[in-house]
């Protein structure tokens, strides 16, 4: 659009901009993944409610979930994983650390988060699988 | 009728000198209106490119006398010593002021401002912000200037002609680059701070904007250009692009070696090479000597051939990666990007490159010119504290010291002046200036701007380079005279009003041709060798005849007329410049 | 810098397509194509200079230093915001498309209107608001190297505006104060000589400031000086949130203003 002062303003790509560049696409995927984080939370809450109704209820719930909505679980799992990953890789930006005056290298911060994440996941996995066996 | 804009003070140029002047006026006399004109946005000014640092006495073991002596001897006794005296005393104050404004100076462990040695310096006194000192100073000044509502910026206004009458300056005409309109900036006083003119040469560290416009403007208005024959070659530029590798890299311990890996500077009265590092010796000798030594090595066939001409090696490897990253990050980045050489692992090929114009608009110690109400500061001016060879890192400080002086004096003049002048007359002169541009715009001819510019560059390099002779200079003068008349026959391709860079380049070329002629004619007349002006036919310094400033006065299409003025000597009598082993 | 001279280096024919616009004559921009014999060591700017000097005198663009420090020559090169003196022809395909920086109005050819940008810079009050007044005679402030390190990265901005061009938020709302200006505010906030965030908060912590940022991170990816404006903005968000809660929970503290909470700004 040509303005009165002669300047020309290019129309922004309102709806398709995020397809133009890898970095925009990755961002949009991160945003989209929030939706699945939401879904995951709802399922979690439902699950907790079922658990409060007793073990049988809970097992019925999880197996019905898996039997009917296994694809949703898989997609949710992937997105939630991506969500966590995409936040962990930007942590050094939001929380730059300094150690005796020197900046801690970003990969250390990211690495530490990732490792912590992995340990927590394994731990929870362990409780679930073993806890269930007892 | 031309659009007329009234202000108390007009400042032309928003580099280090112009911004410092503007801030000085705004903070000391807040009710004065200031118009700050610049052909580029202030942060694009070439001060941004300065790397190494700014000189000012800082250490206990240093003294004002040391700074004075280093400067005067470095300038081969062509400096005005009263000006140097004022300069060195103001220097630490101005640099401290910069610190208060937020300049991120590099620090010592104790949190004091750190200093590094530079060439020709007895004790280290160069304040630095890593190797981006000019960048940080310019941005600090620009950002600080935003605090003052009195400063009204006119960014991307190209100033054309000073308007003066009866020995007094009343303003300037300028082209608003985004509309193509020419306006008359009427003011009570005017400061020129337009920077240097390195672009008259083909191979230079200077950015595209350093075309000597302000020098040419003052010159055409009748103010002489002083000591224009003194053009500094910096010994270490990247071949091909001319990108500067700061003297700071030698200050940190970098070595210069020829193709035999030999520190050749010891053969040119700068040795012995050890102990190292040592002030005022070898790689820390003055720039003129180092650039001249390169030329001699080239004659002997000792230089290294590169696709971009001969070079020598600047070796930083022994400093180690950590020190290079901390002190010289930009050097590393530049060498990797533009030369494909990582100084941590390989020596950098370097060669001398045109860097700085010691000469400029003739001003006195008050930054005043002989036109009443007209002041000049920074690289465009010649006070002169730089003499025949500027000491590295004195220039950035000069911007502050004399920028602030010019500001204070221009403000004072603006608030006192009561001269009556015929406004219609001034407006008419402004109109003539605009008409001249219109003529250029519509003229049909057969010369092109890039064509003439390249010719001018070639003429200057061949005729007025590191070493000069009578015949090389005569050739240059004659060819420039022809070039000037051919310039009248240029034709612009671009006929539009908005951001017509074809027109801007034409105006810049006009400035450069005038400045180049002043350089060549001044050089031809100086029959001696002094500092950066080296004549193969007059190899000695001749204090009897030439301990004087050259003054070149504009004479229209003819060559400038040349006069001389004695150098001001207060306490340091001319002596031999001693570096290396015998220097103290 | 000297224009790169013809040498014995290898030459490659490159097709360069440039978006042209002249408000005097054009209703809207259009592409024009040039065949340029590029030397392999050239940067994009050298090729554009070649066009200007040899093929088309009417092409307008900004440039000065040719060493990636003046910030003038930002352009979209093959769709990516780029400093044209900092991008090498040798890394480019045989066809190169050059457009003016996105998210700015085009004034002419590759020249964009940057007044809005400069206004945004000034809006964050980018100058020292002294924590402790000192005269020049009293000397410099003490600042330890670690205190300098804290903000130094954010002083490296050359105002090239590539980050504004890369920011999709900018495209949707041109009132957004933007990455470089917010990083600059952060720079002064972190400086030990400065009083801290308080004076800049009205602009910085407004809706057009940090809260407009959705952390795409594109600004930091394109920044040629590794300023990492995205980091500056996220850190400011955290600090501003802290301020908010502090005000809320400890109203009596509001009286003692100006003191940046220790380490809270990191
Ligand atoms: C690569 C490099 C490194 C350097 N390193 C050092 C160093 O380490 N230490 C040191 O002391 N010195 C150094 N110098 C020298 C020093 O940087 C310069 O001498 C100094 O910055 C010049 O500043 P200035 O304010 O006079 O001019 P500039 O910064 O060049 O500014 C000139 C201003 O004038 C304006 N202007 C020009 N013509 C017109 C016109 N016609 N109309 C309107 N406006 C106009 C421009 O837009 C600009 O704003 C270096 C120089 C270079 C090139
Ligand atoms: S933050 Fe980086 S990309 Fe943005 S303007 Fe500054 S230097 Fe350019």
């Amino acid at each position: 659009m040509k303005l009165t002062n002669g300047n020309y303003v290019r129309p922004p790509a309102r709806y398709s901009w995020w397809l133009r560049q890898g970095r925009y696409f990755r961002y949009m995927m991160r945003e989209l993944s929030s939706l699945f984080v939401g879904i995951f939370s709802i399922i979690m809450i439902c699950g907790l409610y079922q658990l409060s109704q007793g073990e049988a209820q809970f097992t019925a719930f999880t197996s019905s979930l898996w039997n009917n909505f296994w694809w949703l679980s898989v997609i949710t799992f992937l997105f939630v994983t991506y969500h966590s990953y995409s936040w962990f890789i930007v942590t050094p930006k939001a929380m730059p650390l300094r150690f005796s005056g020197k900046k801690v290298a970003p990969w250390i911060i990211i690495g530490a988060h990732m490792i912590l994440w992995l340990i927590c996941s394994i731990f929870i996995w362990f409780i679930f699988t073993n806890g269930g066996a007892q | 009728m031309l659009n007329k804009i009234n202000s108390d003070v007009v400042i032309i140029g928003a580099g280090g000198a112009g911004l410092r002047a503007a801030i000085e006026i705004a903070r000391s006399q807040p009710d004065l209106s200031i118009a700050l004109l610049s052909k580029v946005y202030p942060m694009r000014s070439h001060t941004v490119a300065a790397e190494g640092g700014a000189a000012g006495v800082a250490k206990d073991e240093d003294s004002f006398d040391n700074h004075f002596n280093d400067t005067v001897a470095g300038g081969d006794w062509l400096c005005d010593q009263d000006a140097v005296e004022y300069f060195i005393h103001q220097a630490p104050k101005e640099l401290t002021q910069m610190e208060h404004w937020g300049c991120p100076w590099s620090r010592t462990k104790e949190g004091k401002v750190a200093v590094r040695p530079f060439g020709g310096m007895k004790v280290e006194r160069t304040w630095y912000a890593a190797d981006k000192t000019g960048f940080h100073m310019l941005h600090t000044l620009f950002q600080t200037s935003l605090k003052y509502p009195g400063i009204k910026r006119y960014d991307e206004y190209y100033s054309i002609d000073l308007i003066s009458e009866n020995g007094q300056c009343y303003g300037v005409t300028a082209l608003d680059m985004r509309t193509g309109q020419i306006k008359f900036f009427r003011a009570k006083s005017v400061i020129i701070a337009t920077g240097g003119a390195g672009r008259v040469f083909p191979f230079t560290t200077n950015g595209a904007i350093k075309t000597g416009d302000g020098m040419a403007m003052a010159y055409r208005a009748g103010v002489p250009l002083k000591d224009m024959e003194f053009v500094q070659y910096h010994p270490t530029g990247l071949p091909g692009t001319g990108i500067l590798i700061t003297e700071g890299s030698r200050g940190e311990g970098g070595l210069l070696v020829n193709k035999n890996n030999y520190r050749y500077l010891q053969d040119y009265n700068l040795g012995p090479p050890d102990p190292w590092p040592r002030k005022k010796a070898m790689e820390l000798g003055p720039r003129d000597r180092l650039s001249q030594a390169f030329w001699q090595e080239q004659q002997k066939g000792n230089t290294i051939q590169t696709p971009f001409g001969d070079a020598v090696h600047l070796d930083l490897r022994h400093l180690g990666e950590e020190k290079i990253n901390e002190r010289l990050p930009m050097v590393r980045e530049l060498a990797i990007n533009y030369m494909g050489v990582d100084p941590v692992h390989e020596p950098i090929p370097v060669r001398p490159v045109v860097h700085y114009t010691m000469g400029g608009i003739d001003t006195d110690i008050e930054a005043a010119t002989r036109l009443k109400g007209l002041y000049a500061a920074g690289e465009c001016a010649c006070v002169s504290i730089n003499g025949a060879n500027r000491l590295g890192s004195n220039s950035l400080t000069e911007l502050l010291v004399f920028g602030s002086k010019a500001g204070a004096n221009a403000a004072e003049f603006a608030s006192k002046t009561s001269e009556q002048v015929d406004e219609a007359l001034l407006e008419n002169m402004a109109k003539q200036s605009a008409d001249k541009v219109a003529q250029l715009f519509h003229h049909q001819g057969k010369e092109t701007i890039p064509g003439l510019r390249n010719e001018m560059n070639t003429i200057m390099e061949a005729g007025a380079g590191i070493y000069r002779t009578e015949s090389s200079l005569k050739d240059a003068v004659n060819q420039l005279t022809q070039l000037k008349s051919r310039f009248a026959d240029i034709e612009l391709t671009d006929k539009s009003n908005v951001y017509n860079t074809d027109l801007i380049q034409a105006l810049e070329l006009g400035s450069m041709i005038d400045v180049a002629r002043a350089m060549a004619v001044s050089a031809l007349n100086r029959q001696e060798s002094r500092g950066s002006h080296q004549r193969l036919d007059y190899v000695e310094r001749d204090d009897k005849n030439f301990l004087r400033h050259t003054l070149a006065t504009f004479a229209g299409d003819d060559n400038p007329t040349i006069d001389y003025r004695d150098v001001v000597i207060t306490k340091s009598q001319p002596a031999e410049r001693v570096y290396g082993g015998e220097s103290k | 810098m000297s224009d790169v001279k013809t040498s014995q280096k290898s030459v490659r024919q490159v097709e360069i397509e440039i978006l042209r616009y002249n408000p005097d004559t054009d209703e809207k921009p259009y592409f024009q194509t040039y065949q340029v014999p590029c030397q392999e060591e050239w940067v994009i700017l050298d090729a554009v200079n070649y066009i200007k000097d040899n093929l088309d005198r009417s092409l307008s663009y900004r440039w000065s230093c040719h060493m990636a420090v003046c910030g003038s020559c930002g352009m979209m090169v093959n769709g990516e915001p780029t400093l044209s003196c900092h991008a090498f022809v040798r890394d480019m395909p045989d066809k190169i498309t050059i457009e003016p920086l996105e998210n700015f109005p085009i004034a002419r050819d590759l020249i964009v209107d940057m007044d809005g940008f400069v206004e945004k810079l000034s809006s964050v009050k980018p100058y020292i608001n002294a924590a402790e007044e000192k005269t020049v005679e009293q000397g410099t402030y003490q600042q330890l190297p670690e205190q300098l390190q804290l903000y130094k990265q954010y002083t490296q901005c050359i105002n090239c505006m590539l980050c504004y061009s890369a920011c999709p938020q900018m495209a949707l709302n041109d009132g957004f104060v933007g990455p470089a200006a917010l990083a600059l505010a952060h720079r002064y906030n972190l400086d030990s000589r400065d009083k801290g965030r308080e004076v800049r908060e009205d602009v910085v912590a407004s809706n057009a400031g940090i809260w407009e940022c959705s952390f795409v991170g594109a600004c930091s990816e394109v920044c040629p000086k590794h300023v990492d404006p995205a980091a500056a903005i996220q850190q400011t968000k955290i600090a501003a949130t802290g301020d908010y809660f502090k005000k809320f929970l400890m109203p009596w503290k509001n009286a003692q203003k100006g003191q940046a909470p220790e380490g809270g700004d990191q």
Side-chain angles (χ1 to χ4, degrees):
Chain A
M1 183 181 54
K2 191 166 173 171
L3 305 179
T4 44
N5 66 359
N7 285 351
Y8 186 88
V9 177
R10 286 160 285 183
R14 286 217 164 253
Y15 304 106
S16 59
W17 61 269
W18 56 281
L19 289 171
R20 281 198 353 224
Q21 291 236 343
R23 63 171 78 97
Y24 299 158
F25 182 78
R26 286 194 295 278
Y27 160 73
M28 275 311 243
M29 286 303 112
R30 190 183 82 203
E31 297 295 284
L32 183 65
S33 65
S34 312
L35 188 71
F36 291 90
V37 173
I39 294 176
F40 178 69
S41 312
I42 292 170
I43 295 176
M44 271 284 275
I45 293 167
C46 295
L48 281 176
Y49 174 74
Q50 302 295 345
L51 193 62
S52 71
Q53 306 299 307
E55 194 183 332
Q57 279 264 29
F58 180 69
T59 327
F61 172 73
T62 46
S63 54
S64 113
L65 196 66
W66 184 246
N67 290 335
N68 302 310
F69 297 106
W70 64 270
W71 49 273
L72 183 66
S73 300
V74 171
I75 297 175
T76 306
F77 174 74
L78 290 177
F79 268 106
V80 170
T81 309
Y82 179 69
H83 190 86
S84 319
Y85 163 81
S86 69
W87 281 108
F88 283 141
I89 57 167
V90 294
T91 39
K93 290 195 194 304
M95 302 194 318
L97 287 182
R98 280 173 191 279
F99 193 70
S100 64
K102 286 219 169 69
K103 210 173 156 172
V104 178
W107 67 266
I108 297 181
I109 302 179
I110 298 174
H113 275 99
M114 296 281 183
I115 290 171
L116 212 68
W117 182 31
L118 200 71
I119 293 175
C120 287
S121 303
I122 292 173
F123 184 66
I124 291 170
W125 178 267
F126 184 78
I127 292 182
F128 261 79
T129 45
N130 285 319
Q134 276 164 21
Chain B
M1 249 304 275
L2 280 189
N3 195 334
K4 183 166 152 187
I5 296 166
N6 288 298
S7 335
D8 291 308
V9 187
V10 164
I11 302 172
I12 311 165
L19 286 167
R20 181 66 188 87
I23 294 174
E24 190 55 32
I25 303 171
R27 71 166 183 170
S28 62
Q29 305 218 33
D31 38 321
L32 292 185
S33 56
I34 305 159
L36 179 57
L37 275 60
S38 174
K39 66 177 174 180
V40 292
Y41 278 83
M43 58 280 197
R44 316 300 188 211
S45 303
H46 206 60
T47 296
V48 82
E51 301 171 11
V57 172
K59 290 192 133 181
D60 292 340
E61 61 267 38
D62 199 6
S63 69
F64 287 122
D65 273 348
N66 282 340
H67 195 181
F68 178 92
N69 290 329
D70 288 346
T71 303
V72 171
D76 221 350
W77 276 272
L78 198 71
C79 318
D80 280 341
Q81 296 181 10
D82 54 346
V84 175
E85 192 78 48
Y86 175 74
F87 166 75
I88 50 141
H89 279 98
Q90 288 306 107
K93 293 185 205 158
E94 284 291 337
L95 296 172
T96 303
Q97 178 63 74
M98 286 299 292
E99 198 270 344
H100 290 191
W101 284 333
C103 190
W105 296 118
S106 293
R107 303 284 175 157
T108 63
K109 276 207 284 298
E110 298 76 41
K112 290 198 188 125
V113 169
V115 286
R116 63 162 50 127
F118 247 55
M121 231 176 232
K122 189 167 173 188
V123 180
E124 50 272 56
R125 70 175 76 90
T126 297
W127 304 39
Y128 60 99
D131 55 358
K132 298 183 184 174
T133 311
F135 163 79
H136 287 302
M137 283 177 56
L138 184 70
H139 281 251
T140 301
L141 286 167
F142 171 61
Q143 287 157 12
T144 303
S145 81
L146 297 173
K147 196 157 75 173
Y148 299 101
I151 304 174
K152 175 136 178 55
R153 286 203 330 274
Y154 293 87
D155 297 329
E156 303 198 312
Y157 275 70
Y158 182 94
S159 53
I160 303 165
D161 285 309
L162 294 173
I163 301 301
S164 59
E165 166 64 13
N166 233 340
Q168 183 163 340
C169 183
Y170 293 101
V172 62
T173 51
L175 175 85
D176 177 355
M177 290 163 66
R178 74 188 74 189
T179 61
Q181 246 183 47
I182 292 177
K183 296 175 185 167
F184 175 27
F185 286 83
R186 172 76 170 87
K188 295 176 184 153
S189 56
V190 176
I191 301 172
I192 307 182
T194 50
R199 278 268 153 184
V200 303
F201 288 88
F203 185 61
T204 173
T205 61
N206 285 195
I209 58 173
K210 300 200 73 171
T211 54
D213 301 333
M215 294 180 184
M217 249 177 344
Y219 182 51
R220 288 194 305 264
V223 182
L225 294 183
K226 184 160 66 188
D227 294 338
M228 289 302 285
E229 61 272 42
F230 297 100
V231 175
Q232 179 168 76
Y233 276 78
H234 195 292
T236 56
L238 293 183
T241 55
I243 289 172
L244 180 80
I245 299 300
T246 174
E247 192 159 304
S249 58
R250 281 170 284 131
E252 298 296 346
L255 303 175
L256 281 173
V257 295
N258 66 14
K259 75 172 184 202
N260 306 320
N261 221 1
Y262 173 67
R263 288 174 67 194
Y264 59 92
L265 293 173
Q266 57 191 291
D267 297 350
Y268 302 93
N269 285 330
L270 290 157
D274 293 310
W276 177 253
R278 204 155 34 107
K279 320 270 152 43
K280 291 180 81 171
M282 293 298 289
E283 285 81 1
L284 288 178
R287 290 177 180 176
D288 52 343
R289 291 283 171 84
L290 264 58
S291 295
Q292 288 149 18
F294 172 89
W295 188 89
Q296 304 282 0
E297 283 293 292
Q298 198 176 21
Q299 301 302 306
K300 292 184 196 162
N302 287 340
T303 45
I304 299 150
Q305 264 140 40
T306 79
F308 310 103
D310 290 353
V312 288
H313 275 156
L314 174 64
D315 199 343
L316 303 179
R317 287 174 295 184
H318 54 288
L319 302 182
E321 181 161 2
E322 195 176 333
K323 190 162 178 190
I324 292 179
N325 283 345
E326 186 206 325
R327 307 278 177 87
L328 304 165
M330 178 140 121
V331 164
R332 185 170 184 200
E333 201 181 303
L334 291 171
I336 292 176
N337 284 331
Y338 295 98
M339 210 66 226
V341 165
D342 183 349
V344 171
H345 305 296
E346 283 169 278
I348 316 171
V350 290
R351 53 170 303 162
V353 52
V354 168
H355 185 54
Y356 185 84
T357 36
M358 264 76 71
I361 303 166
D362 175 29
T363 62
D364 61 17
I365 188 172
E366 298 296 327
T369 70
R370 62 177 63 178
L371 277 184
K372 267 194 286 178
L374 179 67
Y375 301 81
E379 193 174 339
C380 68
C382 179
V383 180
S384 113
I385 62 151
N386 298 313
N389 170 59
R390 169 177 73 97
L391 216 58
S393 74
N394 266 353
S395 171
L396 285 176
T397 313
E398 180 185 359
L399 307 180
L400 303 172
V401 171
F402 289 97
S404 114
K405 185 92 200 164
N409 286 335
E412 167 106 359
F413 186 89
S415 40
K416 294 229 172 92
T417 182
S418 55
E419 201 89 11
Q420 291 303 315
V421 60
D422 180 359
E423 287 294 327
L425 184 80
L426 299 182
E427 280 160 24
N428 194 34
M429 286 160 73
K431 174 142 189 327
Q432 279 172 20
S433 158
D435 289 346
K436 209 178 62 186
V437 177
Q439 254 169 35
L440 184 76
F441 200 68
H442 296 297
H443 186 265
Q444 298 196 325
K446 55 181 189 304
E447 299 289 352
T448 69
I449 295 148
L452 292 186
R453 194 176 54 212
N454 286 342
E455 281 188 50
M456 173 195 66
N457 284 164
T458 315
I459 295 169
M460 289 305 282
E461 184 167 60
I466 297 189
Y467 280 94
R468 303 150 171 194
T469 64
E470 173 111 12
S471 76
S472 81
L473 286 164
K474 273 197 172 141
D475 281 351
V477 169
N478 291 336
Q479 288 171 333
L480 288 170
T481 308
Q482 284 169 20
L483 210 69
K484 169 95 183 177
S485 60
R486 284 167 59 198
F487 178 69
D489 198 28
I490 55 168
E491 176 166 341
L492 297 189
T493 324
D494 190 350
K495 302 285 187 195
S496 56
N497 290 314
V498 181
Y499 285 108
N500 188 331
T501 44
D502 198 20
L503 172 63
I504 298 295
Q505 288 189 356
L507 294 168
E508 288 175 336
L509 178 60
S511 303
M512 285 194 285
I513 293 176
D514 284 342
V515 169
R517 288 179 89 192
M519 284 175 176
V521 176
S522 303
L524 178 62
N525 280 276
R526 184 174 285 273
Q527 297 175 335
E528 65 157 351
S529 289
R530 183 187 295 273
S532 68
H533 172 71
Q534 292 292 316
R535 295 273 304 245
L536 291 171
D537 42 0
Y538 298 94
V539 293
E540 296 297 326
R541 191 175 84 190
D542 175 1
D543 286 335
K544 197 157 140 279
N545 294 307
F546 288 104
L547 189 59
R548 298 188 298 174
H549 298 295
T550 308
L551 296 173
T553 307
F554 185 67
D557 288 341
D558 291 335
N559 280 324
T561 52
I562 300 290
D563 296 301
Y564 293 95
R565 183 195 300 144
D566 284 342
V567 169
V568 179
I569 291 183
T570 55
K571 59 185 191 194
S572 170
Q573 288 306 318
E576 204 190 327
R577 288 168 80 200
V578 193
Y579 295 99
E582 285 118 77
S583 89
K584 279 196 241 46
Chain C
M1 299 309 90
S2 143
D3 312 320
V4 177
K5 289 273 132 42
T6 326
S7 67
Q8 56 271 57
K9 282 275 177 137
S10 64
V11 171
R12 177 165 62 114
Q13 199 70 23
V14 176
E15 185 174 304
I16 300 187
E17 188 184 48
I18 298 184
L19 194 68
R20 305 290 313 268
Y21 172 69
N22 179 349
D24 285 354
T25 51
D26 305 329
E27 255 326 291
K28 58 177 210 255
Y30 61 94
F31 278 105
Q32 188 166 350
T33 307
Y34 304 93
Q35 302 295 332
V36 184
C38 289
Q39 286 163 43
E40 282 301 299
E41 72 281 359
W42 275 6
V43 289
I44 297 290
L45 178 62
D46 294 322
V48 177
N49 280 338
Y50 180 91
I51 296 174
K52 173 98 181 153
D53 282 356
N54 301 286
L55 306 177
D56 190 344
R57 290 291 302 157
S58 72
L59 181 65
S60 284
Y61 53 99
R62 296 184 176 110
W63 74 286
S64 174
C65 76
H66 199 292
M67 54 190 277
V69 67
C70 80
S72 316
C73 68
M75 305 169 184
M76 305 300 295
V77 177
N78 289 338
E80 178 80 6
T82 307
L83 267 190
S84 62
C85 71
H86 200 57
F88 289 83
V89 175
R90 60 175 176 255
D91 304 329
M92 301 274 162
D94 289 341
K95 186 163 178 219
I96 301 174
T97 305
I98 303 181
E99 295 158 273
L101 283 182
E102 255 162 32
N103 300 341
F104 291 95
I106 310 177
R108 160 135 192 218
D109 295 342
L110 300 173
I111 298 180
V112 296
D113 183 344
M114 55 178 278
D115 278 349
F117 170 78
V118 177
E119 256 160 49
K120 288 172 187 173
L121 277 187
S122 16
S123 75
V124 303
K125 305 192 188 74
Y127 32 79
I128 292 281
N129 183 25
E132 165 210 354
E133 288 297 341
K134 226 175 180 183
T135 64
V136 165
E137 285 65 34
Q138 289 170 311
T140 55
Y141 293 95
Q142 187 196 45
Q143 185 166 71
L144 298 169
E146 8 345 337
Q147 291 177 307
L148 170 66
Q149 281 309 324
L150 212 55
Y151 70 88
K152 192 168 162 207
Q153 172 188 347
Y154 305 111
T155 64
Q156 308 288 332
C157 170
I158 58 172
N159 299 172
C160 65
M161 313 188 295
L162 299 191
C163 51
Y164 284 64
S165 224
C167 173
Q169 217 56 41
M170 208 73 209
L172 300 174
N173 170 13
D174 66 6
F176 177 31
V177 176
L182 291 170
L184 186 61
H186 193 52
R187 172 248 177 277
Y188 279 100
N189 289 345
L190 292 180
D191 192 317
S192 59
R193 295 165 290 191
D194 192 89
K195 263 200 201 128
R197 303 194 281 290
E198 192 93 14
V199 290
R200 303 183 184 94
E201 200 117 76
D202 57 334
V203 177
V204 169
S206 70
N207 282 340
I210 45 175
W211 302 118
E212 179 68 28
C213 165
S214 56
F215 203 179
V216 181
C219 50
S220 295
E221 286 183 42
V222 300
C223 176
K225 295 287 149 183
H226 313 293
V227 174
D228 204 350
I233 297 175
Q234 307 327 309
Q235 291 162 37
T236 314
K237 281 182 188 168
I238 293 175
T241 311
D243 283 353
Y244 176 81
F245 280 110
K246 227 173 274 156
K247 249 185 234 160
F248 199 67
L249 297 173
M250 302 187 279
W252 62 92
K253 283 258 172 165
N254 292 351
Q256 318 159 349
K257 280 188 177 152
Q259 199 62 31
E262 209 165 321
D265 220 350
Q266 279 209 47

